Each structure stands twice: as C-alpha cells, then as structure tokens.
Amino acid sequence: MTATIPDSFKFPDFYNFPPFFTIQPVLATREKQLGQWRELILRYHTDLKIKTLVLHECPLWKNPKIERELTGDEIRLVMDDFVTSGHGEWEDPQTRTRCRILWRKPEQLASDIYDWAVSNGYVNSVCTVFELHSGEDVNGMSFQGADEELLRRALGILESQGKCALFRGDTSSEDGIKFF
Amino acid sequence: AGCNQPSSYPYLRSPPSSFRFYFFMKWALQSPPPASRIFNHNIYILPTQYPMSHRRRGVGAARAGAKAYTKKAEEMNAVSLARAMETVEKLEVKLEGFAKTHKHEIQHDPAFRAKFLEMCAPLGVDPLSAEKGFWGNMLGIGEFYYELSVKVAEVCLASRSRNGGIIRVSEVKDILTQRGTKFKFADSKNKSSYSEEDIVTSVKKLSKLGSGFRTVEVGKSMMIVSVPEELDDDHMKVMDLAEENRCGAYGVVTVKGVTAELGWDHDRAKRALELLLGKGMAWLDAVGAEKYYWFPSLWMQNSNEMVSS
C-alpha cells in the first residue's frame, strides 16, 4: 500500500518532466537525472521526517498527473545509486527492500554538532545525547530530532577526530559527550 | 570633319573614335557643384565651367587634357570627403550631447537604449566598448553589457547538464530576474531593467570574444547555444518541429513525427534524434514500446496544460 503524499510537499519542476521517469541512456544525462532523484528522495524524507524508505510503499516512483512511473529495475538503479552516494543504508542488504535514510551524512552531522558545540560554549563541558536531538539549545540545527543511531555514528567520527569523548550513562539517551 | 560643339549630351553626335575618349572624359569629369549640394544627387553639367577648351585638338593635347581632368577629379574627391567627414564629426558631437542629456534613459530604459544603439551604428560609434574615453566614462553601458554577458554565461553554464548547452533567452531572463540580479553599473539603487534584446546584444559581445556562445533561432524562439559544437541543419529542423508543436505536444518529437513532418526516412530521423540525445539537448521518454524525445530547453516549467496528450 503506497503512502499518500501530503499536499504540503512541494515537488520540484523536473518531477513533471516525463523523461524523469525513464532512466536515460546517455551517461552524462543519466548522471544529472540520478542527481535529481537523490535530491528528491532526500528532501522528501527529510522534510516529512520519514526515517525509512520502504521500496514498494514509496509514492515517489509514480506521477499520476503525467502518467509516468519508474519500472522495478529502474527503481533498483535509483536506489543503488542513492545508497552508493552515502545518503542511505539498507536495513536488509540481502533483499534490499528497506532503506534507512540518512538525512544528513554522518560526516556532515559531525561537523554541524561540533560547530554548534563551539558556538554554544560546550567545549570542555558535557552534554547528553538526549540534549543533542531534543534539547532546547538545538532548535533549528540539522541534528534536531535525529535518529540516535545516526547521532552515534556522527559522534563516533568526532571521537576519532579527537573532538569529543563519550561516556556511558544510565540509558543510552543519557550518554554523555564531552567536547574538546 | 570632327565635331567641335560643346555638348552636354554625348550621345547627340558620334565623333570620330580618336576623340571619343576625350569627350567621355569631358562629360564624366564635371566641375564640382557648390559645396552645399554635396549630398545632392542632381549634378548639373555646366559647359562654361570646363577648364579646358573643347575645341578640336591633337591627340597629345587630348592626353594633357585628360591629366588635368584626373587631377581635378582627385581634388573634387578630397573636397567631398573632407565635407563628408565634417558632417559626420558634427553628427558625433550632436550624438554625444544627446547621450549626456538622456543618460538616465539610456541606462535604465531598455527600449530607449535599443533605439540609441541603432542611432550609433551607422556612424560607426560603438558605445559598447567598455574602454576609457568618452563613451566608456560617460555612459558606461559597455560596462553594463559586460556585466550582463558574464551573468548570462553563468546561467548558461549552470544549466548545461540539464539542457545540453542550449537555452531560451526568455528562460535566462527569468532565472536572472528570480535571482534578483543587480548590476554594479550606473547609479541605480533599484534593479536595473534589461530586456531580452539586451541579453542578445551581450551574447553578441561574448561571441566576438570567440567563446563559442551564439544565438540561434528555433521556431519562433531565440535561443543561446553555449557549446562550441556545430548544430547542423537536421538538428535545427528537428528542434524547430518541437518548438512549433507539430508532433503532438509542445517541445517533444517522435521518430514517426519527424518522418511525417519533414519527409525524411526512418534512419535519418533516428540518427538526428540520437545525436540530439547524445548532446544532452534531448531526453528520452520511453512509454512501453513508444519513444518520445523531449527538449528541456523548450519544455515549459508550468506545463500542466502542456502535459495532457
């Protein structure tokens, strides 16, 4: 059962361009097209705060207004490119039906978090993982409302860069982060 | 006997051949009319003004006469040229005065500006050159076109991956307008206004620099091509078809449509379409067994009505 797209979502112009739903035979054009698909998938899931793309439920593959849709093979091609580009991860790499959307790449989140920490005076002080995704200070930041799994990935990157250290808390949400 | 009459009408009599040249020269090299009539096409032949007697002379005398006429002709030309240049200089001065008076309109009103450039062209005045000197410093519209051509080039290059390097002038204007593009030139606090004509002029400037940028007409639309490859006749004809909406929907063609409208055979049509695909100027739309070729540069963005077919 495909989900319905809320009216609030604004589709890009190229969504109504019929060739958008045919994977282009010319490689240079295909590159441009796949870039457009990546942009669309990412924005759709980020704006509507949807964490997982379920292949056969995703309403993006079909545009009834222009009577065009991607075939099964074409959907696979688009998704493989999406995952390769680092914007998503297969929850089930064998069957590849569910894809976790990384709203921001972990590296990007990592630098966003660190910049926020520095500008808000968290260097040499501690905050919890919970505060990172739901605290008052993080209003409008890219990591607000982010998946804890994703945050952990980002923090892992910061740790390897020596920019922070993680401490165990009572619950995973209460894990502490000290920024350097 | 030979004829000796002064004659304004060389065809009245047919003199013996040895004097034919003499009479021709006499007729051809009339003495100059008064200077005020320099642009007057009525040149009056006044026999009394012949510098030389028209009486019959020997051949040697005829040659000496011819030399005198040549010298006179040169003098005349020099005088006419000098007078003509004087006139042009006077016109240039007038033009400069006009530009000073109407500086604001020239800088801000595209229609006025276009007319002004039209006036300058026949005089060989090029206010578009951004160099120092009267035009560069006073009007600065050379600067304006320079700035505009840079922005136009930016828009063309940014959209190349989408449309293959061909784009409508009107689309360029829309994009620049959306961006709220301002120009450094002129004392304008508000947005400078510029027309599609201005964009075409700035592309002409670009093409003079050998940049590969040029304008081309497709159907009724003026387009800018920013890729150096040649677009041959077949390609242009196919795009014309798409632009003129002769294949079912606007901005799209099929092999069948091309063969029907242009009378080509299947291979020629297919080759042209594949080439356009290869250049990135056309995108493929495969619906079942049907193949449609769409041109992003011709496709309307707000094409809800266009899409029905």
Side-chain angles (χ1 to χ4, degrees):
Chain A
M1 203 51 243
T2 37
T4 44
I5 303 171
D7 286 331
S8 58
F9 183 73
K10 184 153 189 310
F11 279 98
D13 285 333
F14 52 75
Y15 194 67
N16 293 320
F17 188 50
F20 186 59
F21 292 85
T22 300
I23 296 300
Q24 293 301 304
V26 175
L27 281 180
T29 314
R30 185 187 294 196
E31 262 316 298
K32 175 72 188 179
Q33 179 189 29
L34 289 178
Q36 289 173 332
W37 272 109
R38 288 196 297 269
E39 187 193 314
L40 173 63
I41 295 170
L42 199 57
R43 189 163 66 81
Y44 175 79
H45 289 83
T46 308
D47 282 2
L48 301 179
K49 302 227 184 301
I50 302 171
K51 295 197 174 125
T52 312
L53 189 163
V54 183
L55 235 67
H56 48 272
E57 284 173 13
C58 181
L60 294 177
W61 315 128
K62 189 175 182 159
N63 185 350
K65 210 166 38 154
I66 57 168
E67 293 171 339
R68 296 287 190 277
E69 61 185 294
L70 289 180
T71 65
D73 285 339
E74 290 175 325
I75 296 172
R76 286 238 163 267
L77 212 153
V78 167
M79 285 312 297
D80 284 343
D81 170 79
F82 187 74
V83 169
T84 312
S85 70
H87 290 292
E89 273 175 359
W90 290 113
E91 277 179 17
D92 51 346
Q94 306 306 331
T95 41
R96 294 188 286 162
T97 59
R98 301 175 60 90
C99 180
R100 188 180 308 121
I101 306 289
L102 308 175
W103 296 344
R104 290 274 187 290
K105 288 197 189 164
E107 296 83 1
Q108 217 172 327
L109 269 187
S111 67
D112 285 351
I113 290 171
Y114 189 72
D115 288 342
W116 166 84
V118 167
S119 53
N120 281 280
Y122 275 95
V123 177
N124 284 324
S125 91
V126 181
C127 81
T128 62
V129 170
F130 179 83
E131 276 170 354
L132 265 192
H133 60 69
S134 305
E136 282 162 12
D137 271 353
V138 298
N139 222 341
M141 301 309 297
S142 62
F143 42 88
Q144 183 183 24
D147 201 39
E148 276 193 13
E149 180 56 48
L150 191 51
L151 277 180
R152 249 166 238 302
R153 200 96 43 86
L155 292 168
I157 293 172
L158 283 180
E159 241 188 334
S160 65
Q161 292 174 341
K163 290 188 175 154
C164 79
L166 289 170
F167 303 91
R168 272 276 103 118
D170 289 335
T171 64
S172 87
S173 299
E174 281 168 27
D175 283 356
I177 315 146
K178 181 164 175 186
F179 294 99
F180 300 118
Chain B
C3 82
N4 308 325
Q5 272 92 28
S7 176
S8 315
Y9 308 101
Y11 47 82
L12 249 190
R13 284 202 190 236
S14 156
S17 55
S18 55
F19 290 106
R20 233 173 258 245
F21 178 71
Y22 178 85
F23 274 91
F24 170 74
M25 288 297 279
K26 196 167 75 161
W27 171 76
L29 303 176
Q30 310 301 324
S31 58
S36 63
R37 280 198 291 200
I38 204 151
F39 293 114
N40 192 323
H41 289 283
N42 301 322
I43 294 180
Y44 299 98
I45 297 165
L46 303 167
T48 54
Q49 286 176 324
Y50 290 152
M52 225 185 130
S53 166
H54 50 266
R55 283 177 295 111
R56 178 178 175 168
R57 298 284 180 94
V59 174
R63 279 213 194 100
K67 235 200 229 151
Y69 276 113
T70 314
K71 185 164 180 291
K72 190 68 191 177
E74 278 169 10
E75 277 174 30
M76 273 172 52
N77 287 341
V79 168
S80 347
L81 189 59
R83 298 244 188 259
M85 279 182 68
E86 213 184 284
T87 311
V88 168
E89 272 160 20
K90 287 204 182 105
L91 282 176
E92 263 196 34
V93 170
K94 281 223 157 82
L95 200 60
E96 289 174 5
F98 179 87
K100 274 208 188 103
T101 316
H102 297 277
K103 175 170 169 177
H104 193 263
E105 283 113 306
I106 295 171
Q107 284 176 343
H108 296 280
D109 180 349
F112 195 91
R113 176 165 57 234
K115 280 275 174 265
F116 175 69
L117 290 179
E118 252 175 73
M119 274 182 0
C120 294
L123 289 176
V125 170
D126 181 17
L128 258 48
S129 58
E131 290 144 22
K132 301 263 170 243
F134 172 76
W135 295 105
N137 290 338
M138 202 280 294
L139 267 192
I141 55 177
E143 268 305 304
F144 167 71
Y145 282 106
Y146 176 74
E147 270 187 75
L148 181 57
S149 59
V150 169
K151 295 187 203 294
V152 167
E154 273 170 17
V155 171
C156 291
L157 293 174
S159 64
R160 241 194 229 178
S161 60
R162 175 170 50 87
N163 54 36
I166 185 168
I167 185 171
R168 264 217 199 83
V169 170
S170 55
E171 189 179 343
V172 173
K173 183 162 192 291
D174 286 343
I175 293 175
L176 285 179
T177 310
Q178 260 176 41
R179 283 196 204 165
T181 297
K182 284 188 177 36
F183 287 82
K184 294 201 283 286
F185 129 96
D187 45 358
S188 56
K189 286 166 226 112
N190 39 8
K191 288 206 306 288
S192 289
S193 75
Y194 49 91
S195 58
E196 290 187 13
E197 219 168 23
D198 285 326
I199 293 179
V200 171
T201 305
S202 68
V203 173
K204 289 209 179 83
K205 246 179 110 67
L206 274 174
S207 60
K208 269 204 220 124
L209 298 171
S211 58
F213 275 73
R214 59 210 189 272
T215 53
V216 75
E217 261 192 81
V218 172
K220 286 178 242 62
S221 296
M222 186 61 93
M223 325 266 300
I224 301 172
V225 178
S226 57
V227 282
E229 302 123 48
E230 272 307 306
L231 283 171
D232 72 29
D233 225 37
D234 276 14
H235 299 151
M236 295 318 296
K237 289 215 176 76
V238 170
M239 285 198 75
D240 282 342
L241 264 195
E243 204 277 348
E244 288 162 10
N245 193 0
R246 283 154 61 186
C247 271
Y250 183 84
V252 65
V253 297
T254 55
V255 171
K256 248 189 267 158
V258 170
T259 55
E261 290 286 329
L262 298 179
W264 295 352
D265 63 50
H266 179 94
D267 280 344
R268 183 176 174 190
K270 195 145 199 310
R271 193 169 43 239
L273 287 171
E274 300 275 301
L275 262 157
L276 284 164
L277 262 192
K279 286 188 202 281
M281 294 184 181
W283 285 44
L284 181 67
D285 171 30
V287 185
E290 290 299 318
K291 283 192 179 158
Y292 301 93
Y293 299 79
W294 294 77
F295 294 90
S297 55
L298 299 175
W299 182 64
M300 310 289 210
Q301 306 293 56
N302 46 332
S303 55
N304 291 326
E305 331 85 50
M306 302 283 175
V307 164
S308 62
S309 59

